[in-house]
Amino acid sequence: MTAHHGDARRPGEICADLPEATDAGLRFVGVIRTPFATRADCPRRGDAEQGPDCRIEVAAPYEPALLAIEDHARIEVLYWLHEARRDLLTQSPKSDGAQRGTFSLRSPLRPNPIGTSIVTLLRREGRVLVVRGLDCLDGTPLLDLKPARCGYAVVAPDKA
Ligand code: SAM
């Protein structure tokens, strides 16, 4: 068994009988290009300072949604960990038999395999963002982009 959890189940891990999917109506809004071809190549967590340059290719219909994104040095990226199994309820990340619940982990293996990273925005090239700080496979579908919470000043007026 490798350090990276593939599709194999480790001793003691509990799997769910998954209920019928309810469609949240997600639309992939682009694709993420990284130098990581396999899960084993991916870092466990992206490094927004020293990590390799990666490209977030926003799909053409969503280009207007990038307006003013350059105002933000740090961006929160949400992506769909498309190769992750979705039925694990407990996991043994260190493969040492000690179990933790999926919701107490940042493991990619989860009922809704959404990954998030805070990245440094290096530059924008049209509808491509060049960033540092990702940990996902090349070709991972993009779900959303938003300014990172720290350093973000709310644009909308206060609620009454
Ligand atoms: N930074 C994200 C988070 O905290 O939500 C993801 C963390 S997860 C520990 C990162 C690992 O997910 C990578 O090291 C790799 O093993 C795995 N991974 C990356 N891209 C994936 C993909 N598209 N499908 C399945 N697993 C992926």
Side-chain angles (χ1 to χ4, degrees), residues 53-56 120-125 128-132:
D53 292 7
C54 299
R55 293 167 68 82
I56 297 176
T120 303
L121 177 59
L122 300 175
R123 61 185 181 278
R124 175 178 167 189
E125 297 171 357
V128 173
L129 303 183
V130 182
V131 305
R132 215 169 261 172

Side-chain angles (χ1 to χ4, degrees), residues 36-93:
F36 313 126
T38 69
R39 278 184 275 184
D41 295 336
C42 298
R44 203 170 292 284
R45 186 196 299 179
D47 182 337
E49 308 293 339
Q50 310 291 331
D53 292 7
C54 299
R55 293 167 68 82
I56 297 176
E57 298 176 0
V58 173
Y62 299 99
E63 184 167 357
L66 291 171
L67 183 65
I69 197 151
E70 304 92 323
D71 292 353
H72 303 283
R74 295 273 172 137
I75 310 283
E76 188 171 0
V77 185
L78 285 80
Y79 38 97
W80 189 254
L81 296 157
H82 62 311
E83 289 196 6
R85 60 184 289 172
R86 302 176 62 173
D87 60 343
L88 277 186
L89 303 182
T90 65
Q91 304 178 43
S92 175

Side-chain angles (χ1 to χ4, degrees), residues 4-5 34 36 38-46 77 79-85 105-110 113-118 133-141:
H4 283 266
H5 200 316
T34 71
F36 313 126
T38 69
R39 278 184 275 184
D41 295 336
C42 298
R44 203 170 292 284
R45 186 196 299 179
V77 185
Y79 38 97
W80 189 254
L81 296 157
H82 62 311
E83 289 196 6
R85 60 184 289 172
L105 295 167
R106 295 201 69 102
S107 160
L109 315 175
R110 45 206 320 115
I114 296 171
T116 72
S117 288
I118 307 288
L134 286 168
D135 54 17
C136 59
L137 286 171
D138 185 42
T140 294

